[in-house]
Amino acid sequence: MQTREDIFNTLREALVELFELDPARISLDANLYQDLEIDSIDAVDLIDHIKR
């Protein structure tokens, strides 16, 4: 079973890989739309990437 930290690291790695975000910008409190500028189409891409 994955811990909260494992899940966060997986999400951060995907965000960095897919959207070339600075890992320092990604935190548990970051809002995808406002803080990381991820739109709805990007969010779908993120979900698809994580499912694989």
Side-chain angles (χ1 to χ4, degrees):
M1 177 170 227
Q2 289 186 332
T3 66
R4 181 181 174 123
E5 184 80 17
D6 293 336
I7 294 168
F8 174 71
N9 288 332
T10 299
L11 285 171
R12 181 174 45 209
E13 290 170 8
L15 287 164
V16 169
E17 180 181 335
L18 291 172
F19 308 113
E20 299 177 359
L21 295 175
D22 178 5
R25 289 181 58 197
I26 304 166
S27 69
L28 290 173
D29 297 325
N31 181 289
L32 286 177
Y33 299 106
Q34 295 172 345
D35 301 328
L36 303 178
E37 300 173 4
I38 301 296
D39 63 21
S40 58
I41 294 173
D42 290 339
V44 170
D45 290 341
L46 177 62
I47 292 167
D48 182 57
H49 180 82
I50 292 170
K51 280 186 176 182
R52 290 188 228 163

